Amino acid sequence: MSTTMRRLGIITLTNSAAVVTPSLLSSTAAFPGTLTLPSPLLSDRLTNSILFHESRSLSFSCFSSSSSSSAAYLPSLEEYPSAKGSVKRDDNQKVVLKGMTYASLQEWVQSHGFRPGQALMLWKRLYKDNIWANNVDELEGLNKDLKRMISEHAEFGALSFKDIRSASDGTRKILFTLDDGLVIETVVIPCDRGRTTVCVSSQVGCAMNCQFCYTGRMGLKRNLTTAEIVEQAVYARRLLSHEVGSITNVVFMGMGEPFHNIDNVIKAANIMVDENGLHFSPRKVTVSTSGLVPQLKRFLRESNCALAVSLNATTDEVRNWIMPINRKYKLSLLLETLREGLSSRHKYKVLFEYVMLAGFNDSMDDARRLVELVQGIPCKINLIQFNPHSGSQFIQTEEDKMIKFRNVLAEGGCTVLMRFSRGNDQMAACGQLGMIGAVQAPVMRVPEQFRTALKASV
């Protein structure tokens, strides 16, 4: 059976019919291409495919010989004007300044009869010299005609500041409201070694449904635009530089799967590293992915920024469970893609992120397998303490065991880092961002050998 629809909500499946009940979440089909993800709580013989077409219609196909009835959540999706995450603005087609690269900004300024040098002055007022202009009155040094043109034909902001929350360790979580009323979260993480990092979101929610991640419980609402991504870094500097010092690093590790919004993420990263603007070093802008292989290949071709891959398991069986994207892109394919893609890159290392889940992926056998898996890949491994959240199935690995795990990796020749929780008393730590609504993504079926351990952890 196959149904084409503009909106998906709760799909109730029996052996002969599919009943569609639209959910209450407001979301958009923000990416083209095909994503096949498993539906938990259903028969192993059931396959669900969500096809995202350039025409922005959706085709949902399901096949089951199971005689039992079940329900699976799929992200609610509504049609938006662009399949690439742009939000249409009802303001006479004004451009959003922070959504343009410098080349595009220069072209736009010249199209209105002004000189290229004036475009550079505008660019620096937006991103440089501690100005971070957020309205026309802050464009110091620009002539009146240019400022008038900008006022009439451009918008400065894509975000509205909502709130800022401070954790006991100095981490700040900034909440922003978008034009459509949705809310995203950005985290600023100070470091006593003089390095302060801003963690930016790339989507509202996430479609990947990683079982240890609070954001994944939301499902995907929509992609962020380029301007909505860039302005998170601008706001972080504008709001907090006087408190935390220079913000030197950017990580795309907030809400969402960055490679699911690859066009806007690459464009935003390019704006961030522009030497006449925010001027982050490409080595200090890190984009993380759960393992979308085609987009990973494109990123390695087109971007000089750093790459992180969220690995989190050493077998397909475990990764299929905790990271459903692995059912489409297996560990072997993901790792071989990295071996091939990094073979021609000079002094470039991927950062493997490994969230440690007590009893599931933290055995010494896992450590030894991980050493074997990363052979031939220039890399560092970041062991991450799991951050609990409401409804979580998992608990943290004890610190002593994390150290033993690290030692096995180090003895195997790996470069290993350890990341402990930052900001978790304000739900600002890794895997804690977002706000869950009434409808949530499904809990995946637990592999049989882990069911006893899971019961003991909850």
Side-chain angles (χ1 to χ4, degrees):
M1 54 192 163
S2 180
T3 306
T4 300
M5 62 197 80
R6 292 180 185 270
R7 183 179 176 92
L8 281 174
I10 299 296
I11 313 296
T12 303
L13 297 150
T14 67
N15 60 343
S16 60
V19 180
V20 181
T21 305
S23 80
L24 300 178
L25 291 177
S26 174
S27 23
T28 66
F31 41 85
T34 299
L35 171 65
T36 302
L37 291 176
S39 279
L41 311 179
L42 301 181
S43 165
D44 288 341
R45 290 171 287 180
L46 176 67
T47 301
N48 288 345
S49 298
I50 310 173
L51 305 178
F52 297 91
H53 301 289
E54 289 291 349
S55 63
R56 297 181 299 282
S57 64
L58 287 96
S59 175
F60 173 63
S61 303
C62 51
F63 306 89
S64 177
S65 57
S66 171
S67 60
S68 62
S69 297
S70 304
Y73 169 78
L74 292 169
S76 171
L77 295 152
E78 294 171 355
E79 190 175 64
Y80 255 65
S82 169
K84 297 186 177 179
S86 296
V87 178
K88 186 177 180 181
R89 305 176 66 91
D90 185 20
D91 53 11
N92 299 320
Q93 303 300 313
K94 287 186 175 182
V95 302
V96 182
L97 294 175
K98 295 186 183 78
M100 290 190 281
T101 63
Y102 176 64
S104 298
L105 183 78
Q106 185 180 66
E107 181 180 353
W108 176 75
V109 168
Q110 288 184 270
S111 73
H112 286 273
F114 297 92
R115 294 178 288 103
Q118 291 172 296
L120 181 58
M121 292 177 66
L122 171 58
W123 184 261
K124 289 183 176 181
R125 299 305 182 274
L126 294 174
Y127 299 121
K128 207 173 177 67
D129 301 329
N130 295 335
I131 297 175
W132 307 304
N134 200 40
N135 57 66
V136 72
D137 294 329
E138 296 177 348
L139 296 178
E140 301 172 3
L142 270 63
N143 72 46
K144 292 180 180 179
D145 291 339
L146 178 57
K147 291 168 71 172
R148 185 183 304 112
M149 184 277 291
I150 293 168
S151 179
E152 292 173 355
H153 298 286
E155 287 286 335
F156 280 80
L159 306 176
S160 297
F161 173 77
K162 178 179 174 68
D163 194 13
I164 187 166
R165 298 170 186 174
S166 298
S168 57
D169 61 11
T171 299
R172 272 74 157 188
K173 181 166 74 171
I174 311 171
L175 280 67
F176 296 105
T177 304
L178 309 180
D179 284 351
D180 51 12
L182 297 173
V183 175
I184 60 168
E185 299 178 357
T186 305
V187 179
V188 176
I189 310 163
C191 177
D192 56 13
R193 297 192 300 272
R195 181 188 72 240
T196 296
T197 299
V198 56
C199 177
V200 301
S201 295
S202 56
Q203 295 178 306
V204 186
C206 185
M208 297 298 101
N209 195 22
C210 295
Q211 296 294 284
F212 50 85
C213 180
Y214 190 71
T215 309
R217 307 293 299 140
M218 296 174 61
L220 176 65
K221 297 186 178 182
R222 71 166 173 87
N223 281 341
L224 297 185
T225 64
T226 299
E228 289 166 339
I229 298 170
V230 170
E231 198 165 12
Q232 293 174 69
V234 175
Y235 254 113
R237 282 188 168 175
R238 182 182 173 101
L239 291 173
L240 293 172
S241 288
H242 67 287
E243 294 183 31
V244 301
S246 178
I247 296 175
T248 57
N249 293 50
V250 181
V251 292
F252 285 73
M253 299 179 186
M255 298 167 65
E257 161 56 60
F259 283 3
H260 229 168
N261 187 14
I262 188 70
D263 292 320
N264 291 327
V265 163
I266 287 180
K267 187 176 177 183
N270 288 340
I271 292 171
M272 291 176 183
V273 302
D274 187 282
E275 62 183 10
N276 288 312
L278 292 171
H279 200 190
F280 288 102
S281 165
R283 294 177 301 168
K284 296 182 178 181
V285 175
T286 303
V287 182
S288 177
T289 181
S290 60
L292 279 69
V293 169
Q295 292 89 338
L296 172 59
K297 292 178 178 178
R298 176 181 166 188
F299 180 82
L300 290 175
R301 288 194 308 268
E302 297 183 14
S303 179
N304 291 321
C305 292
L307 171 68
V309 173
S310 190
L311 204 60
N312 306 317
T314 61
T315 67
D316 281 325
E317 185 174 22
V318 174
R319 202 166 190 267
N320 285 349
W321 165 39
I322 64 173
M323 300 183 70
I325 193 63
N326 195 73
R327 301 192 181 193
K328 185 170 180 67
Y329 304 114
K330 299 292 187 184
L331 270 172
S332 57
L333 175 61
L334 173 61
L335 296 173
E336 189 56 36
T337 299
L338 288 166
R339 283 190 189 91
E340 293 177 3
L342 298 182
S343 61
S344 59
R345 302 288 291 261
H346 182 59
K347 293 184 178 180
Y348 189 97
K349 291 184 178 182
V350 61
L351 177 67
F352 284 117
E353 300 168 295
Y354 198 93
V355 177
M356 302 200 69
L357 308 171
F360 302 109
N361 67 355
D362 64 346
S363 70
M364 296 308 109
D365 285 340
D366 281 305
R368 286 185 280 271
R369 278 194 296 267
L370 185 53
V371 171
E372 294 301 316
L373 285 173
V374 303
Q375 291 299 308
I377 303 175
C379 68
K380 295 182 286 187
I381 299 172
N382 195 5
L383 302 181
I384 302 172
Q385 189 174 47
F386 170 67
N387 297 300
H389 50 78
S390 175
S392 168
Q393 306 176 78
F394 305 104
I395 60 175
Q396 293 178 338
T397 297
E398 295 291 337
E399 186 173 334
D400 287 348
K401 191 170 184 180
M402 286 184 69
I403 291 171
K404 291 177 181 177
F405 195 99
R406 178 199 64 187
N407 292 344
V408 172
L409 297 180
E411 289 166 5
C414 299
T415 301
V416 192
L417 311 170
M418 294 179 67
R419 187 202 304 174
F420 295 100
S421 296
R422 295 291 307 272
N424 58 353
D425 59 334
Q426 288 293 338
M427 286 291 286
C430 179
Q432 290 186 328
L433 302 185
M435 181 63 68
I436 293 177
V439 181
Q440 301 177 19
V443 176
M444 303 297 291
R445 184 172 60 85
V446 182
E448 187 171 352
Q449 71 268 32
F450 293 116
R451 290 177 188 175
T452 301
L454 190 62
K455 288 178 182 177
S457 71
V458 296

